[in-house]
Amino acid sequence: MKFKAEITEDKLKYRLHILDLSLPANEPKFMFSIGGVPTIPQGELVGIKGRAKMGKSQFEYYLIAVMLANTSRGSVRPLQDRYKILLFDTEQSQVSLKKCCQRALNFAGLPADKNNECFLPFFMRPLSIEERRKVIADAVDAEKPDIVFIDGVRDLLQDFNSLDQSNDLIQWLLSLTAEHGCTIVSVLHQNKSKDDGNMRGHLGTELLNKLTDCFEVSKKDGKFLVTCTDSRNVPCGDLAFSINGEGNFQTEEAVSEDKNSARAAEIQRVLKLCFKDKASMRYGELVEAYQLEAAVSERTAKSHVRAAKDNNFIVVQDSLYSLAPK
């Protein structure tokens, strides 16, 4: 009887994972306001993407400076009184890492010649993958950070084109956010092709599916331009900043463009990639193809497909979607 009771109890363990709809839902707690829009929720995965030397890391340090200053810098405003920040860098040399940290401290108006108790940067380049993961796990457990930056997340696995390794790493990151309630911001390169905005490898593809917000950083005329390309909430506005001759951050005006025409041109570009090997496809196939080619979420892909239909970029016949004839 005891054995049967244990078997029955084990079979019912699945019920522990049923969502209780009677419990009150907690609204997301955001960490920043950018352009007046709350963004980067606590306890989630966030991504920063961009091509090499386009300023992905500098956007990290800009956000760190805002948190340390506890006041607005340009259009970016902190939404909490105090932050505990951990930064794990796998790519830069010690000299480069020090310069970046000092740039953030200078922009925050804090002494740059000593460590700050609210900001702990870790130099990770000499460590093995296993050592890096252990340092991150131990530090997060001991320091209880509000936000964690991982500059070079692809250096936490052997092969970022391995689906198994990518899934394992992402589940590990998700477990850290769930257990400790911290936000984890991962920095990853985009593919080198100008026509391909995806983050690199299976890691980039799988990571995008789990991100709450994804920011793309580019550089133009000496300015770093930041755009929220994908969000599960309301996307924030663009922002811009630069590094002056003294090596310090300064705020800039985001380049004003005709958003509607730029968005339409981008949708048309992605649609051409979707239909390059197939003349027509069903709605579900098109949404999936659009997700992959544009590196966006399913919801965003559906929105863009709907916009394409409304603007006559695509036509539908017998439930099959195809590019509209020119």
Side-chain angles (χ1 to χ4, degrees):
M1 290 296 293
K2 181 180 178 182
F3 178 73
K4 289 179 66 176
E6 289 176 352
I7 292 295
T8 302
E9 182 181 353
D10 187 63
K11 282 186 175 181
L12 294 177
K13 281 185 178 179
Y14 75 91
R15 299 185 64 85
L16 296 173
H17 305 287
I18 296 175
L19 177 64
D20 188 347
L21 298 178
S22 67
L23 295 176
N26 294 322
E27 292 298 318
K29 184 179 180 182
F30 293 96
M31 308 192 76
F32 298 92
S33 168
I34 298 180
V37 177
T39 190
I40 305 186
Q42 193 154 9
E44 298 284 1
L45 287 184
V46 174
I48 298 175
K49 65 180 181 178
R51 293 185 172 83
K53 311 304 180 186
M54 288 291 106
K56 300 181 298 298
S57 296
Q58 298 310 321
F59 179 45
E60 282 184 307
Y61 292 102
Y62 193 95
L63 293 177
I64 289 169
V66 170
M67 289 185 282
L68 292 173
N70 196 26
T71 189
S72 298
R73 290 288 186 269
S75 63
V76 185
R77 178 168 62 90
L79 295 180
Q80 297 182 27
D81 293 331
R82 188 176 185 275
Y83 298 83
K84 184 63 173 287
I85 309 156
L86 302 185
L87 168 72
F88 301 95
D89 189 291
T90 67
E91 297 188 341
Q92 298 187 90
S93 67
Q94 271 187 305
V95 172
S96 296
L97 179 57
K98 182 179 179 181
K99 285 182 179 179
C100 288
C101 293
Q102 289 179 324
R103 180 178 293 127
L105 290 165
N106 282 329
F107 198 51
L110 296 171
D113 58 351
K114 61 180 182 180
N115 286 73
N116 187 289
E117 63 176 4
C118 293
F119 172 43
L120 299 180
F122 292 81
F123 175 55
M124 307 278 282
R125 194 162 76 170
L127 304 182
S128 68
I129 290 173
E130 292 74 18
E131 289 170 330
R132 289 168 183 162
R133 285 210 196 187
K134 186 173 188 331
V135 169
I136 292 172
D138 290 347
V140 170
D141 183 57
E143 298 294 337
K144 305 293 187 283
D146 298 292
I147 189 166
V148 175
F149 293 92
I150 302 178
D151 199 342
V153 68
R154 61 95 52 234
D155 293 323
L156 299 181
L157 43 62
Q158 291 286 353
D159 180 7
F160 65 82
N161 277 316
S162 165
L163 191 57
D164 289 340
Q165 290 183 33
S166 298
N167 284 334
D168 175 73
L169 175 57
I170 292 168
Q171 289 304 314
W172 180 70
L173 294 173
L174 287 170
S175 70
L176 289 177
T177 65
E179 183 178 352
H180 301 284
C182 58
T183 297
I184 295 181
V185 181
S186 299
V187 177
L188 195 64
H189 289 287
Q190 284 176 302
N191 289 318
K192 294 180 180 180
S193 170
K194 290 184 178 180
D195 295 328
D196 187 353
N198 292 336
M199 293 185 288
R200 284 189 195 170
H202 281 300
L203 176 60
T205 302
E206 294 304 311
L207 188 59
L208 182 67
N209 292 331
K210 299 296 188 296
L211 297 178
T212 299
D213 295 292
C214 188
F215 296 88
E216 182 175 5
V217 186
S218 59
K219 192 176 183 181
K220 184 178 181 181
D221 300 328
K223 293 182 182 179
F224 299 109
L225 308 174
V226 182
T227 300
C228 182
T229 59
D230 204 58
S231 179
R232 297 183 189 274
N233 301 291
V234 178
C236 64
D238 296 349
L239 69 111
F241 63 94
S242 62
I243 297 175
N244 62 25
E246 288 73 44
N248 296 317
F249 285 133
Q250 61 184 30
T251 60
E252 301 281 357
E253 288 293 323
V255 178
S256 60
E257 297 180 4
D258 186 341
K259 289 286 185 179
N260 289 330
S261 67
R263 180 171 181 263
E266 174 64 9
I267 289 174
Q268 288 178 298
R269 182 190 72 81
V270 174
L271 287 173
K272 288 180 181 178
L273 294 174
C274 293
F275 287 103
K276 64 182 179 181
D277 296 321
K278 297 183 72 173
S280 63
M281 62 185 81
R282 296 193 177 276
Y283 176 73
E285 293 178 275
L286 177 56
V287 169
E288 184 177 354
Y290 198 101
Q291 277 184 265
L292 293 173
E293 296 293 351
V296 297
S297 68
E298 181 181 2
R299 184 176 63 179
T300 301
K302 288 180 177 179
S303 172
H304 287 193
V305 169
R306 183 169 61 251
K309 184 180 176 183
D310 292 342
N311 286 279
N312 297 316
F313 300 154
I314 53 178
V315 294
V316 186
Q317 187 172 9
D318 297 329
S319 298
L320 290 174
Y321 288 70
S322 58
L323 285 175
K326 294 183 179 180

